[in-house]
Every structure is written in structure tokens, then in C-alpha cells.
Amino acid sequence: MLPRPPNRKLYWIVAIAFLISNVSALKVDYQEKYLTTRLDKFNHEDHRTYQQRYLFNDQFWGKSKNTDYSSASCPGPILFYTGNESPVTDYWGASGFFTEVLAPKYGAMLVFAEHRYFGKSMPFGDNSFEIKNIGYCSTQQALADYAYLITHLKKQYNAEDCPVFAFGGSYGGMLTTFFRIKYPNLIMGGLAASAPFSFLGSGISPFAFTEAASNTYETARPGCGQNIKVALSDIEKYAATPDGRTKISKDFNLCKPISTQNEGIEVLNWAVGGLMGQAMLDYPYPTEYGISISGWPVNNTCDRIHNHKGDTVSALAYGIGTFYNYTGDKTCYNIHTDVPDWGKCCGWDYLACTEVYIPSASNGIFPYAPYDQAADIKACKEQFGVDLDPSLSETLWGGFDSLSQSSHIIFSNGLLDPWHTGGVLKNISDTLIAVVIPESAHHLDLRSPNPKDPSYVTQARIEEDKIISQWISEYFKSH
């Protein structure tokens, strides 16, 4: 999930991101493990370490009935999740295609690595986000962590000859791509689901995400997008007056009434964050992904707004409950804590200020905010004391053109997901393959098969399995 870039008026969500038609009856558990690993992989004089968490399962390893997926020196492949900006346990639950379907089929070992500075992998504990400590929160360091973890596990399990296939969603999909490019000696291929590469210089408009998200609402229910646009504009107006702020507090059932215009704008941003979040997570059934949301949340939000008897603001406040209070357990909202775990400070914010800067702006049904690079630079300086280099991401990782120098990567993108606008939507080569999925949201193809899945998603998983199966088989035949 990709939360926000540092733009001062864009919102936390934008600073933001099978195989068969039946539900798999197999539920796969994991072992929680920790590896003592060096804090700074690039300074050999720094001997400090931290505890990196990873999830592990070898119950299927070496048990495939298909001999194409093993050899005399390797019982089966390793499927490796490149953890991203949430606790790694979130990704285990959202990757049933691999844990429940592909791992048993291939006889694979499962390893889910947690990204440093997320979940329980905090190098400095509760002090990890202090300015003096956060500098080790780095994509390059995280990839080096993963390389070290793979090397360690291969030695531990006598698996030096076993191929490793990486996969990940959103920023995790970006990491899978970078991992394959930077460590081709360790990673034989990867599936990068819903991975945007819209860095500065990519040619992707900074408005692309909000334009796509706006279209998601308008096509879900005609007139819904316009109703939301009016409601957001009204919130901005109400925030300017005491009576208006009282109305916002009442309509949104805030635990603590707001008293200033800035607090009113924070409520606006919180509502926008929810709208954008569920545009990404517009799954056909209820899900738990850092937050509990309904099935087809965009449609449900639009229906709630349309059927509500109150004015625009109260209708939106009721509608956004499909994202923020689907379970109905919240008696009031605290907009600072009632957010998904991937929307919280500070790891992603720091990455967005350093190695994963994605320019963003807002329009469509959302309040207009232009791309303001100077404001982003200022915000990063104020929050972290770092000098944002807007071109560094493309320098480090390259744009779309650089992908052609690699091989054996599947890029999947769902067209309901606004992040598809920054993804790879066409084949680059015979082994750099785009799988474009209508009626699919943010890396839905990684999730467990479900009877409510659109047929396009089921077909995408079949295609992905066919490709991965071929690549793993070819690896064993050539090694």
C-alpha cells in the first residue's frame, strides 16, 4: 500500500497502494522468526545489529508431486515476499494465492520478510523514528536485508541450489522489481503486483492517481463523484466558521469537537484519505487490510450517499463509514488514530522524502492541489531534516526504460486501482510481462481465490501461475 508523498496539502493515503474459481479450503499458518542482522549493510566498520522479523513456513517444501519443481540438490523453490510499509503479518493474510495455492503446487518454502522500520522490525525500538535514528530507513538497506536473509536461510536449510521467486504488492511490488534488478544472482524472477514507477521524470502526470480515483467513483454510480466533490467543497467552507466547525464535528461524530479552521481541513483530508483508500481496495468481498472494509466499498459508499436523507456533508460522513467503521465498533472518530496501519507515521513518510519520491497533485472530485515540489522539499526538511532530491528515485532505480535491462518479472495491475496509472501496462519483452486485470483493485490477484472474484481476476491468476510454473521448471532444467 502506498501512503503519501510529502506534499503539504495532499493526504496521508496518497503520500499515497486464485488460479481457480473456488475458495481454497487450505489455511496456511506461519512461524514468526527473527534474524540478527547488521543495521548498516554498507558500512563495514559499523557492527551494530537489529532484530528483523520474518514469517516462515516449510510444510510444503519438497512435497510437490511434480518433479519439474525440484532437483537432486533442491527439494523445491523458495517463494519470498518483499515486505513493504506495514507489519509483514498484513501481507501474509493478503497473499493467499501464494500461501494457499502456489506453495503447495510447487512444493515451495514460504518466507515473508518484514521491511525495516515497520511492524516489529524497529532497529531502535520506540526511538526508531527520532531524526538521529531514522536515516537507516532505506530501500537500499531493506533490499540488502532481504539478500542477507535469503543467504542465511539457504545455508541453514542446505538450499543453496534452490531458486528464489520474489513477489510483492504496491511498494512491495516495486521492491520485488528492484530486488530482481539489483540481485539477479539471488532472485530468479518476480511478480510485481500493482507496482507504480511514476517517479519524477517518468512522464506520468502527478494528477494521474486522483483522476483515476475520481473516475472509479463516477463509473460506480452515475452522479456519485459529483456528490462527493460538492460535499468536500462544503466541508472546506464549513471549516472557516465556528458554526460550520460545530456541524462538521456533529456530522462526522468526532470524539473531540474541532475548534480551528486547520482542524476542519484535517477532517477534510481524513475523509479524502478514506475515499482514496477504498478506491484502491475496492475488493468484491469484505477484507481486513490494515483496516476492515466492506465488499465493493466504492459502490457501497455511493449508495449510502445517494440514499441518505441529510445534506451533502452528513451524507458523506455516513458514506465514509464503509471504510472507517465497517465493523460498527467505533462510537466516535479520532481522525489521528482511526486510520489504517499503513497510513501512520513515519517510515513511509521518510522513504517518500528520500528514495521513493513520487510527485503527486490532486484534482477531479478531490480538492484541487497543484504539484508543488518546493513545498515537498520544505515539508521533508521540517519533518526529518533531510534535503529531498526529487530526481534521486529515478537515478537509483531508473524509469520504465531501465526495466528492459532485466528479465523474468510479471507486472500485474488492476484497472480499478488508481495506481495502475503508474504501472507497467504493456509487455516489455518475452520475459517482462504485463498482466492487466479489468474489475480488479490493488493487488487483488495476490489474495486467496474467492467465489466473488471477477472472472478477470481468476483468469489473471491462471496466467500468472502458468508463467511462474514455466520459469521455475526452466530453472531446474538448466541448473
Side-chain angles (χ1 to χ4, degrees):
M1 185 63 53
L2 287 165
R4 70 178 163 267
N7 190 298
R8 80 268 175 258
K9 194 177 177 182
L10 290 184
Y11 319 98
W12 56 261
I13 190 68
V14 179
I16 303 217
F18 305 56
L19 178 65
I20 54 176
S21 59
N22 298 320
V23 178
S24 171
L26 181 65
K27 296 303 177 185
V28 182
D29 293 326
Y30 57 79
Q31 300 174 55
E32 182 181 78
K33 293 177 175 284
Y34 290 84
L35 177 67
T36 300
T37 190
R38 283 175 49 208
L39 174 65
D40 188 347
K41 296 292 194 298
F42 305 109
N43 182 355
H44 297 287
E45 296 180 0
D46 188 340
H47 301 292
R48 290 175 297 171
T49 61
Y50 82 99
Q51 297 295 301
Q52 180 189 13
R53 180 169 65 158
Y54 66 97
L55 309 181
F56 180 84
N57 180 295
D58 65 350
Q59 73 182 86
F60 308 116
W61 195 39
K63 297 178 182 178
S64 175
K65 296 179 180 180
N66 190 331
T67 58
D68 288 345
Y69 309 135
S70 63
S71 69
S73 59
C74 173
I78 299 171
L79 300 178
F80 186 93
Y81 188 91
T82 49
N84 36 314
E85 75 283 14
S86 286
V88 71
T89 47
D90 286 359
Y91 303 119
W92 184 278
S95 302
F97 179 40
F98 277 81
T99 61
E100 300 167 16
V101 179
L102 298 187
K105 176 179 177 178
Y106 302 154
M109 178 190 294
L110 288 162
V111 181
F112 280 57
E114 188 162 73
H115 194 301
R116 54 171 59 201
Y117 287 83
F118 296 98
K120 295 182 179 180
S121 298
M122 294 292 178
F124 298 93
D126 293 340
N127 300 320
S128 293
F129 296 128
E130 293 182 3
I131 290 180
K132 65 180 180 180
N133 297 329
I134 199 172
Y136 300 98
C137 180
S138 157
T139 297
Q140 296 181 82
Q141 294 278 8
L143 292 177
D145 284 343
Y146 300 162
Y148 183 83
L149 175 59
I150 288 173
T151 302
H152 168 80
L153 291 174
K154 281 194 167 192
K155 290 179 180 178
Q156 180 178 352
Y157 290 94
N158 193 26
E160 284 88 347
D161 294 334
C162 294
V164 179
F165 186 88
F167 65 103
S170 196
Y171 171 49
M174 297 164 69
L175 288 168
T176 285
T177 303
F178 303 153
F179 204 17
R180 168 63 181 158
I181 291 172
K182 186 169 180 58
Y183 296 95
N185 55 314
L186 295 178
I187 303 302
M188 54 79 64
L191 169 56
S194 300
F197 301 96
S198 42
F199 303 133
L200 185 68
S202 67
I204 305 298
S205 168
F207 292 103
F209 180 95
T210 54
E211 289 173 349
S214 299
N215 184 64
T216 295
Y217 282 94
E218 196 54 44
T219 55
R221 296 286 189 266
C224 180
Q226 183 60 30
N227 289 337
I228 291 173
K229 183 174 184 177
V230 171
L232 294 174
S233 177
D234 287 345
I235 293 173
E236 196 164 15
K237 294 175 184 175
Y238 286 134
T241 68
D243 288 345
R245 293 190 286 272
T246 298
K247 174 177 172 52
I248 292 173
S249 299
K250 180 180 178 182
D251 286 351
F252 279 92
N253 193 25
L254 301 180
C255 300
K256 180 182 178 181
I258 58 174
S259 58
T260 67
Q261 185 173 8
N262 284 342
E263 290 176 340
I265 298 302
E266 287 179 351
V267 176
L268 171 68
N269 293 347
W270 178 79
V272 168
L275 292 167
M276 291 183 179
Q278 64 185 18
M280 291 190 295
L281 303 179
D282 198 17
Y283 299 144
Y285 47 80
T287 52
E288 177 73 33
Y289 192 81
I291 192 169
S292 297
I293 57 175
S294 75
W296 294 125
V298 169
N299 300 55
N300 286 342
T301 295
C302 289
D303 289 342
R304 281 186 168 212
I305 291 172
H306 177 75
N307 296 326
H308 190 69
K309 303 303 181 182
D311 64 7
T312 59
V313 174
S314 63
L316 177 60
Y318 176 62
I320 203 64
T322 59
F323 186 79
Y324 284 122
N325 197 21
Y326 168 63
T327 58
D329 60 348
K330 292 184 174 64
T331 58
C332 62
Y333 288 125
N334 181 329
I335 65 170
H336 301 293
T337 60
D338 291 336
V339 295
D341 55 25
W342 36 267
K344 297 177 181 177
C345 188
C346 295
W348 174 257
D349 295 333
Y350 187 80
L351 290 170
C353 280
T354 52
E355 296 180 356
V356 198
Y357 175 69
I358 296 178
S360 58
S362 176
N363 66 355
I365 68 173
F366 305 104
Y368 177 79
Y371 170 51
D372 191 337
Q373 186 179 112
D376 291 349
I377 292 172
K378 180 181 178 182
C380 290
K381 189 71 171 180
E382 290 177 349
Q383 185 174 7
F384 299 114
V386 299
D387 295 316
L388 168 65
D389 179 354
S391 63
L392 179 62
S393 298
E394 177 130 336
T395 301
L396 285 176
W397 311 117
F400 291 102
D401 292 342
S402 69
L403 299 177
S404 63
Q405 304 304 309
S406 189
S407 68
H408 296 87
I409 306 172
I410 303 167
F411 301 95
S412 65
N413 281 280
L415 297 183
L416 288 182
D417 175 19
W419 282 115
H420 81 266
T421 54
V424 176
L425 303 179
K426 295 181 179 179
N427 291 355
I428 299 173
S429 71
D430 290 343
T431 61
L432 294 167
I433 301 170
V435 176
V436 179
I437 318 170
E439 297 184 17
S440 179
H442 205 52
H443 48 73
L444 174 57
D445 52 321
L446 295 185
R447 301 186 70 88
S448 302
N450 189 293
K452 295 184 179 180
D453 284 329
S455 60
Y456 299 104
V457 178
T458 301
Q459 184 58 42
R461 294 191 185 112
I462 292 172
E463 183 178 357
E464 290 164 359
D465 172 45
K466 181 179 178 181
I467 297 166
I468 298 169
S469 175
Q470 177 185 338
W471 289 349
I472 291 176
S473 177
E474 289 175 348
Y475 179 94
F476 278 113
K477 289 177 181 178
S478 63
H479 286 75

